[in-house]
Amino acid sequence: MRRSVLSLLAIALASPAFAQAYPSKPITLIVPFAAGGPTDLMARIVGERMGKELGQQFIIDNVTGAAGTIAMGKLARSAPDGYTIGIGHLGTNVVNGLIYKKLNYDLLDDLVPIARLPSNPLLVVTSNQVPAKDLKELVAYLKANADKISGGTAGMGSGSHIGVMAFHAATGTNYQLVPYRGTGPAVQDLIANQIQIMIDQSSNSLPHVRAGKLKVYAVTAKERPAAAPDVPTTAEAGYPGIEVAIWHGLWAPKGTPPEIIAKLNAAAVAALKDPEIRRKLEDLGQDIPTPEQMQPAAFDAYQRGEFDKWRPIIEKANVKVE
Ligand code: MLT
């Protein structure tokens, strides 16, 4: 019975009339982290503009918990009709596939790429209560006060956790980690000194650094970003080997008709060509991919390459969630 219903659904979705009429109602965009954080912000900026392009609203659905694994499971089980899509990033759509041993979906087989979205580096930031003046002093302070320091992440496998893994390995620090449902709430606790340090996406922390609410020590990039020219790279600050950029993307459940993927991709490309959107994203330290890099096939190849790049790193770090 279920099989024949699914076959009928597949036949209906594959019909040209269905793809032409698409979208005829609002599109739900699943966001794997809490509202107010960097993934949510990207979803709102890009989703709103894509909605204008497609003539339908994008409804944001924050499905939080377990570093995005709950959200991606929900996306994988959604109807493949183009009315439920998801945003994710290097953590949710690559690293989680390598560290969570019991995911009930496969990130490459059960989801199809729609478009690659911008990428931003991480900032090493602390609360204003931390007395260090530069990264070397901060590392010494973290080592001397290891039992008193807590760092915030959005859970094991999240972008902020990937940053901490790289930071701990390069600096020999090992402070305690507090998991949050997203770095939006975590950064508020950092400002309040409930936690002392984060390795956080620039789009999340930079506005607070500019407002004088957080201290910044370094950026995990090869070169200083145009949005933060005064912030040294981690290598310039004395710790090479912490180069991490958190790229984002949009995915749909497997079986979503290619014509619908193409319409969504075209809307994402148009959104990222909009000078106002580009200005907003670049001001937060985001690098914007080219329209060619955003194509589904190019993004699929990029994501698979990222699995190959991160697999040995995760195996060496021996990070697993059973
Ligand atoms: C968020 O939106 O909260 C972040 O992308 C979390 C993270 O991966 O660090």
Side-chain angles (χ1 to χ4, degrees):
M1 177 64 183
R2 181 170 152 75
R3 216 193 150 93
S4 57
V5 170
L6 283 179
S7 323
L8 282 174
L9 180 66
I11 292 166
L13 292 180
S15 79
F18 180 84
Q20 264 165 29
Y22 175 85
S24 58
K25 60 178 185 178
I27 295 166
T28 296
L29 175 53
I30 294 180
V31 174
F33 296 103
T39 319
D40 184 71
L41 183 70
M42 178 76 72
R44 286 172 202 273
I45 294 176
V46 177
E48 195 194 338
R49 185 64 183 74
M50 284 177 71
K52 276 195 195 139
E53 203 61 31
L54 291 166
Q56 287 291 343
Q57 209 192 339
F58 272 50
I59 298 169
I60 304 293
D61 182 14
N62 296 90
V63 179
T64 66
T69 55
I70 298 172
M72 289 306 145
K74 181 172 177 183
L75 179 63
R77 290 187 301 275
S78 298
D81 58 5
Y83 290 102
T84 306
I85 63 172
I87 188 169
H89 64 26
L90 166 67
T92 54
N93 289 66
V94 173
V95 172
N96 282 353
L98 299 170
I99 69 172
Y100 285 80
K101 295 297 159 201
K102 290 189 185 139
L103 292 183
N104 56 7
Y105 56 88
D106 186 287
L107 284 166
L108 293 174
D109 291 346
D110 295 331
L111 300 176
V112 287
I114 296 171
R116 181 167 153 193
L117 295 180
S119 164
N120 67 159
L122 299 154
L123 298 179
V124 179
V125 281
T126 70
S127 85
N128 282 338
Q129 309 295 312
V130 171
K133 287 196 285 301
D134 57 29
L135 191 57
K136 288 235 156 127
E137 276 192 31
L138 176 64
V139 169
Y141 179 79
L142 294 172
K143 287 182 177 169
N145 295 279
D147 53 335
K148 298 189 204 96
I149 301 291
S150 301
T153 76
M156 284 182 79
S158 63
S160 40
H161 182 246
I162 298 169
V164 167
M165 286 192 284
F167 184 77
H168 280 175
T171 60
T173 51
N174 190 19
Y175 49 82
Q176 168 191 317
L177 298 176
V178 181
Y180 288 81
R181 287 181 178 267
T183 48
V187 85
Q188 295 304 327
D189 274 6
L190 185 63
I191 291 167
N193 196 41
Q194 299 294 318
I195 52 175
Q196 287 69 46
I197 180 165
M198 282 173 66
I199 318 296
D200 189 28
Q201 289 180 56
S202 78
S203 62
N204 198 41
S205 298
L206 196 52
H208 302 299
V209 169
R210 287 178 180 149
K213 293 181 181 170
L214 291 177
K215 289 173 82 168
V216 65
Y217 300 83
V219 56
T220 66
K222 255 200 183 77
E223 280 164 25
R224 298 181 182 205
D230 300 336
V231 180
T233 66
T234 38
E236 284 174 332
Y239 296 92
I242 324 180
E243 278 163 20
V244 184
I246 307 298
W247 51 264
H248 298 79
L250 293 171
W251 286 265
K254 182 177 78 181
T256 304
E259 298 81 1
I260 288 181
I261 298 290
K263 279 193 177 178
L264 288 163
N265 178 274
V269 170
L272 292 189
K273 276 188 182 159
D274 181 324
E276 180 59 11
I277 301 278
R278 294 178 79 85
R279 192 198 53 72
K280 263 189 202 161
L281 292 170
E282 283 168 352
D283 184 54
L284 296 167
Q286 298 280 3
D287 278 330
I288 299 177
T290 63
E292 292 72 33
Q293 289 171 326
M294 290 179 72
Q295 293 311 303
F299 182 33
D300 185 54
Y302 181 74
Q303 186 188 3
R304 286 172 194 272
E306 288 287 275
F307 264 92
D308 294 341
K309 171 181 158 184
W310 284 92
R311 190 172 290 110
I313 301 173
I314 299 295
E315 275 166 13
K316 190 166 169 222
N318 196 22
V319 184
K320 278 188 217 132
V321 184
E322 296 294 344

